[in-house]
Amino acid sequence: MVKRLVVGAHYGFGDWLLQRLTAVVMALYTVMFAIRLSMLTSYDVFAWYDLFSSGMMRFATFLFFMSLFYHAWVGVRDIFMDYVKPISVRLTLHAVVAFLLLGYAGWAAQILWRL
Amino acid sequence: MAEVIVRKPRPKHLNLMQIRLPLPGIVSILHRISGVALFLCLPLILWLFGASLGSQEDLDSFHAIFDFSLAGLPIVKLVLLGLLWSFLHHFCAGIRFLLLDVHVGIELPAARMSSVIVLVVSLVLTVALGVLIW
């Protein structure tokens, strides 16, 4: 019998759940995106522009990117926890990834709304 | 009466080259590897996405990067093909994991079968979409 301290359970449960919820959001977006792509009448840069010109599409794409970055955060953090043991290195990597993803979020917003 | 405990020497396969993963294990590690690849290439993906929705100048540099080749190899296109597979594998394997989470297909034969489906479907889709886009 392993003695375990379980005070304040649900360690990581929130992230586990969010990893799955964000996955569902991205999967739904992917299907929607594939359908909209297949319904295009022409495949040129104008049709591509047009696709992203509606507010709904920008909103959905932004939601996709936010889900992607949070999903990536949980996934990459899990990988570091598996393979990177020295706490100083791990913490540094966590910080770098977190700030990178925050920056990506700003970048994605800028791409979608400067049109 | 003396008894001798004979211990069978157990193989310790810590050598990655000697570990033979079962099919679901292969799908699992590829899920991780494809996730890492997609994460590392996020700057490239975001840049291409931004350029594709940008000005004429941005579009020109989009095409310049997209068609960039090194020693006759269309290196960016090949990387993007790899990313396409990464996305499709991550997508298919992810749906499989979500189903496993809600206890669909957790029996071994079903889990093996779904692993094969994930591997085949993501490869076939990669080839089909790759041909379409190339």
Side-chain angles (χ1 to χ4, degrees):
Chain A
M1 188 71 183
V2 182
K3 234 184 150 179
R4 227 183 257 163
L5 197 66
V6 284
V7 186
H10 66 73
Y11 287 128
F13 175 71
D15 278 343
W16 181 90
L17 192 64
L18 268 171
Q19 190 178 36
R20 273 131 188 98
L21 288 176
T22 50
V24 171
V25 168
M26 287 187 286
L28 291 176
Y29 179 89
T30 303
V31 173
M32 181 273 288
F33 185 72
I35 291 173
R36 296 208 61 171
L37 264 190
S38 67
M39 284 184 352
L40 289 181
T41 43
S42 63
Y43 290 89
D44 51 31
V45 68
F46 301 109
W48 182 246
Y49 250 83
D50 217 40
L51 185 61
F52 287 98
S53 63
S54 78
M56 267 312 285
M57 190 61 180
R58 284 183 205 180
F59 177 79
T61 307
F62 187 67
L63 201 61
F64 171 84
F65 275 122
M66 292 305 105
S67 299
L68 170 64
F69 299 142
Y70 198 85
H71 190 85
W73 163 245
V74 178
V76 172
R77 200 202 48 181
D78 282 354
I79 289 173
F80 288 151
M81 288 200 288
D82 279 352
Y83 304 130
V84 182
K85 297 303 172 190
I87 198 80
S88 55
V89 181
R90 194 196 280 179
L91 210 61
T92 310
L93 286 170
H94 281 187
V96 168
V97 169
F99 287 128
L100 263 183
L101 289 171
L102 270 176
Y104 292 163
W107 191 2
Q110 185 252 339
I111 291 171
L112 286 168
W113 276 286
R114 66 151 181 225
L115 296 170
Chain B
M1 211 165 98
E3 268 187 60
V4 183
I5 302 169
V6 182
R7 289 205 178 208
K8 227 168 96 183
R10 287 168 174 272
K12 261 193 197 169
H13 288 315
L14 295 177
N15 182 342
L16 280 182
M17 295 300 128
Q18 283 186 36
I19 297 175
R20 285 198 56 235
L21 276 175
L23 269 175
I26 292 173
V27 168
S28 182
I29 193 64
L30 287 178
H31 190 71
R32 177 161 277 198
I33 292 170
S34 57
V36 170
L38 288 165
F39 168 73
L40 290 178
C41 291
L42 274 177
L44 174 69
I45 296 165
L46 277 168
W47 187 87
L48 284 172
F49 181 58
S52 77
L53 286 173
S55 62
Q56 187 57 48
E57 256 174 70
D58 294 331
L59 280 173
D60 291 341
S61 45
F62 174 93
H63 285 296
I65 294 287
F66 191 70
D67 294 322
F68 179 77
S69 60
L70 204 69
L73 268 179
I75 212 119
V76 174
K77 273 187 180 177
L78 287 174
V79 168
L80 290 175
L81 193 65
L83 288 175
L84 182 64
W85 172 82
S86 296
F87 180 83
L88 290 167
H89 179 85
H90 211 82
F91 179 83
C92 295
I95 288 172
R96 176 173 175 273
F97 287 138
L98 285 173
L99 290 174
L100 292 177
D101 279 344
V102 290
H103 294 207
V104 173
I106 44 175
E107 305 301 326
L108 190 53
R112 275 205 189 113
M113 179 52 87
S114 59
S115 304
V116 176
I117 293 173
V118 165
L119 289 168
V120 171
V121 168
S122 52
L123 271 176
V124 169
L125 278 178
T126 305
V127 172
L129 290 174
V131 168
L132 211 65
I133 296 166
W134 200 271

